[in-house]
Amino acid sequence: MKRVGNLYALATSPQALHQGYLDARAGKRGCRSVFAFERRLGAELEALHKELQAGTYQPRRYNHFWVYEPKPREISAPAFRDRVVQHALYGVVRPIFDRGFVDTSFACRPGKGTHAAADYIQHALQQVPRDSYFVQLDVRRYYYSIRHAILRRQIERKVKDARLVDLWMQFADTGDGKTPGVGLPIGCLMSQLSGLIYLNQLDHFIKRELGIRHYARYVDDFVLIGLDRAQADDCVAAITDYLARHLQMSLSRVTVARVARGINFVGYRTWASRRFVRKHSLYTFRRAVRARRLESTVSSLGHARRTASLRHLLTIARTDHDLYRCLPQSYRRLDHLHARAARQPG
């Protein structure tokens, strides 16, 4: 495998740091930390460059807090200056690793995402026999269980620049002192890329060694489609063993069922001929409409746009006339088309 070197100078150059600043501030111009950094932009970038060149750079303490939707998670938010460094590093290393990912790894990659993953799942269901099985698996406490030593070896298979690997691994420390050498901080850009890398060898094992044609992964949730029952059971056993031996991980959920039942994946309940949003998404949407939260309402409609649930969500939105009138015109136009079709005889 060809390894890439001489990346540290590229990732820590003034040009890379300035681009990292532009990427880090996107969508956050109103934040106080961004404003403070921008007030002294030249001095801040110069200070980061000098620290990185001298080898004295150290990330600052994370701001730890909890979120409870869709499930409880501790978020570790880095200081803005550390976001700048992460974006600069990410811009250099992401293309190197992205080329080695399987095409059906859909999380945190340009041109991928939940909509592309749901499209793939639906297309796969259309290709396999209705009496075949799917296997859906979830890794137990994924980000909290990533071993730094294993992750470092995986990175070093592609990168031979030791200074860059050392910088990367500085962002692997959660900063809470709970279990040294284990776990990544959730909420960091480099954690997202590290999470993709850590299970990438499992992706290739499933595709190449197990010979699974229809396979998709989104972070630590992955699905194998179109198997017979014996093959499904063999795959579960093989994947369980591989995770334990090579990655020191275990599964938290194992689902084996016929594809006719539909697959609950990346926020959608998907069958070969139709797709719905999850029931929890309907509950969240109703709460957003009752609270008149326009941004959340529009976001949920975008999530449901290519599903059979959209018409139902628009009906709920119509119960608040003021909120409904604030929706983008494209949704109101779709709602009118649905209503007109419903009135057509036959």
Side-chain angles (χ1 to χ4, degrees), residues 102 203-215:
V102 298
D203 295 338
H204 287 280
F205 171 75
I206 291 172
K207 294 288 291 183
R208 296 179 181 181
E209 301 298 323
L210 300 184
I212 304 303
R213 179 182 178 186
H214 300 292
Y215 168 74

Side-chain angles (χ1 to χ4, degrees), residues 20 104 150 161 199 220 245 323-324:
T104 54
I150 296 175
D161 190 327
L199 283 184
D220 62 331
R245 287 193 300 112
L323 179 70
Y324 183 79

Side-chain angles (χ1 to χ4, degrees), residues 107-295:
C108 310
R109 298 176 64 192
K112 302 293 185 178
T114 56
H115 290 287
D119 288 344
Y120 175 81
I121 292 295
Q122 189 161 39
H123 177 73
L125 289 173
Q126 293 167 354
Q127 304 299 310
V128 301
R130 283 181 55 82
D131 61 347
S132 63
Y133 287 81
F134 73 89
V135 173
Q136 187 168 8
L137 307 168
D138 200 313
V139 177
R140 185 183 307 278
R141 294 176 55 82
Y142 178 52
Y143 280 108
Y144 300 110
S145 302
I146 288 177
R147 308 281 172 162
H148 296 180
I150 296 175
L151 175 63
R152 186 180 184 103
R153 289 197 297 269
Q154 293 174 331
I155 295 170
E156 288 175 339
R157 290 173 189 165
K158 290 273 190 178
V159 176
K160 61 181 178 182
D161 190 327
R163 293 186 72 193
L164 183 126
V165 178
D166 289 341
L167 176 61
W168 189 330
M169 295 308 297
Q170 283 186 282
F171 298 116
D173 186 0
T174 59
D176 56 13
K178 292 179 180 177
T179 311
V182 181
L184 298 182
I186 298 175
C188 288
L189 180 66
M190 293 309 297
S191 293
Q192 294 178 6
L193 181 58
S194 297
L196 284 173
I197 292 169
Y198 202 81
L199 283 184
N200 184 52
Q201 66 184 74
L202 175 67
D203 295 338
H204 287 280
F205 171 75
I206 291 172
K207 294 288 291 183
R208 296 179 181 181
E209 301 298 323
L210 300 184
I212 304 303
R213 179 182 178 186
H214 300 292
Y215 168 74
R217 175 166 73 90
Y218 196 92
V219 190
D220 62 331
D221 190 0
F222 45 108
V223 185
L224 298 69
I225 303 172
L227 316 177
D228 60 43
R229 184 59 202 235
Q231 186 183 16
D233 292 338
D234 289 344
C235 284
V236 171
I239 292 169
T240 301
D241 177 69
Y242 189 94
L243 281 169
R245 287 193 300 112
H246 295 281
L247 301 175
Q248 297 183 36
M249 288 184 160
S250 61
L251 296 170
S252 64
R253 180 185 60 167
V254 177
T255 301
V256 179
R258 293 190 186 274
V259 299
R261 162 181 158 175
I263 299 177
N264 194 336
F265 187 64
V266 296
Y268 299 99
R269 296 172 294 147
T270 303
W271 285 262
S273 59
R274 62 199 186 280
R275 188 188 312 170
F276 300 90
V277 298
R278 286 175 174 168
K279 293 180 180 179
H280 182 75
S281 299
L282 295 175
Y283 168 71
T284 302
F285 182 77
R286 290 191 183 95
R287 285 203 309 175
V289 171
R290 284 198 298 268
R292 294 188 171 181
R293 294 197 300 266
L294 179 62
E295 186 176 349

Side-chain angles (χ1 to χ4, degrees), residues 63-75:
N63 175 31
H64 299 285
F65 60 94
W66 285 84
V67 297
Y68 298 94
E69 293 289 344
K71 59 183 178 181
R73 294 176 298 162
E74 184 179 19
I75 303 298

Side-chain angles (χ1 to χ4, degrees), residues 21-125:
Y21 149 71
L22 294 176
D23 294 339
R25 77 173 187 179
K28 297 181 173 63
R29 296 297 297 275
C31 296
R32 183 178 300 177
S33 60
V34 179
F35 177 72
F37 192 91
E38 287 183 321
R39 287 185 63 187
R40 303 181 64 254
L41 179 60
E44 292 281 6
L45 292 177
E46 183 179 2
L48 277 175
H49 179 64
K50 287 182 177 179
E51 291 175 28
L52 288 162
Q53 294 307 303
T56 59
Y57 169 80
Q58 290 289 331
R60 294 179 179 174
R61 292 184 62 180
Y62 292 103
N63 175 31
H64 299 285
F65 60 94
W66 285 84
V67 297
Y68 298 94
E69 293 289 344
K71 59 183 178 181
R73 294 176 298 162
E74 184 179 19
I75 303 298
S76 302
F80 184 73
R81 74 192 310 261
D82 298 325
R83 290 183 186 273
V84 171
V85 177
Q86 289 195 45
H87 276 276
L89 176 60
Y90 180 84
V92 170
V93 300
R94 184 201 61 77
I96 296 171
F97 286 89
D98 194 75
R99 292 191 291 268
F101 296 150
V102 298
D103 191 53
T104 54
S105 176
F106 288 99
C108 310
R109 298 176 64 192
K112 302 293 185 178
T114 56
H115 290 287
D119 288 344
Y120 175 81
I121 292 295
Q122 189 161 39
H123 177 73
L125 289 173

